[in-house]
Amino acid sequence: MSHRVVLLHATPVAMSPIHTAFQEVWPEAELVNLLDDGLSTDRARESELSESMIARFVRFGHYGYDMKADGILITCSAFGPAIDQLASELPIPVLKPNEAMFHEAVAQGNNIGMLATFGPSVETMTDEFDSYVAEHGAKATLTTILVDDAIDLLKKGDAESHNRLVAARAKELAHCDVIMLAHFSTSRAAAAVRENVTVPVLTAPHAAVNRIKASILAAEKE
């Protein structure tokens, strides 16, 4: 039986990493891509996620549900509150991009580092991380470094420079128990980052695919 997973993208640079992860983890899944790259552009202009942006994102998610989705996976990390609202309104699994990665990170230590490239996502991701830690009674703390200019280079097609900039800042988190690469797009830099540090480096796409697969199969049995 084929399971339809609708992927909600707010930027094209998140698409390739999640497709690769599905091919390696769950190639049988039927993927549907919905892209509104205006979401990331407009989100970058807001210091805080506005009610109108939340409503717009939720409409986007409902469109995905209308496509007979078995589950929805969001690939952009800057819309936490909107994803929460969408999940509360739909009867299928709706997964935040970093939820599964947080789980893996906290399991490996209390001193967590994160390399981010999209500034507006840092606050929402930090809030999500803190909520996850509180909900699970963990004692982990998060140290985040924002790598300026990297994502702009990636959007221009210069993945090599993106990876180099991200990897160069990784040494500042070498004291951490584990380092997370914040966004699906940042996962491209994993190999370069691992060359600069000895601690584990986690990426979001593979963890997310494992989590959405488990969630959909569990919901199917209910």
Side-chain angles (χ1 to χ4, degrees):
M1 176 181 175
S2 178
H3 297 87
R4 172 170 283 192
V5 180
V6 172
L7 305 174
L8 298 187
H9 307 287
T11 174
V13 297
M15 298 175 74
S16 177
I18 193 60
H19 286 181
T20 298
F22 266 101
Q23 280 298 314
E24 295 176 357
V25 176
W26 196 15
E28 302 83 8
E30 179 186 84
L31 303 182
V32 175
N33 297 281
L34 294 182
L35 169 64
D36 177 359
D37 55 0
L39 279 168
S40 60
T41 301
D42 296 340
R43 177 68 181 94
R45 297 184 177 127
E46 296 187 352
S47 58
E48 295 184 7
L49 193 61
S50 66
E51 290 299 322
S52 62
M53 183 70 75
I54 290 173
R56 172 179 164 187
F57 189 94
V58 170
R59 290 196 302 272
F60 188 43
H62 274 273
Y63 182 75
Y65 174 67
D66 291 342
M67 302 175 76
K68 301 188 183 304
D70 295 303
I72 293 176
L73 174 59
I74 290 84
T75 66
C76 183
S77 50
F79 297 91
I83 301 170
D84 287 336
Q85 182 170 325
L86 178 64
S88 72
E89 295 181 9
L90 297 183
I92 60 173
V94 176
L95 186 64
K96 292 179 180 178
N98 301 291
E99 184 177 334
M101 183 172 65
F102 290 166
H103 177 78
E104 291 188 10
V106 171
Q108 297 190 47
N110 289 330
N111 189 2
I112 314 298
M114 184 168 71
L115 289 165
T117 59
F118 187 55
S121 73
V122 172
E123 183 176 354
T124 57
M125 285 188 70
T126 301
D127 289 344
E128 288 171 23
F129 181 85
D130 291 343
S131 295
Y132 180 90
V133 168
E135 181 181 342
H136 292 82
K139 298 180 180 178
T141 58
L142 181 65
T143 302
T144 300
I145 289 177
L146 179 62
V147 186
D148 292 322
D149 302 325
I151 198 167
D152 292 330
L153 289 167
L154 184 59
K155 288 178 177 179
K156 293 175 183 176
D158 190 354
E160 183 177 348
S161 294
H162 165 273
N163 297 349
R164 176 174 47 77
L165 287 178
V166 174
R169 301 295 302 275
K171 295 176 183 177
E172 298 171 47
L173 298 173
H175 63 283
C176 294
D177 297 318
V178 61
I179 295 173
M180 302 186 298
L181 301 185
H183 324 295
F184 280 30
S185 60
T186 327
S187 65
R188 292 173 172 81
V193 171
R194 290 180 179 124
E195 290 179 1
N196 282 6
V197 295
T198 57
V199 300
V201 177
L202 302 181
T203 61
H206 287 77
V209 174
N210 281 320
R211 187 67 173 266
I212 194 71
K213 179 180 180 180
S215 298
I216 289 174
L217 296 181
E220 196 174 62
K221 295 177 181 179
E222 291 180 357

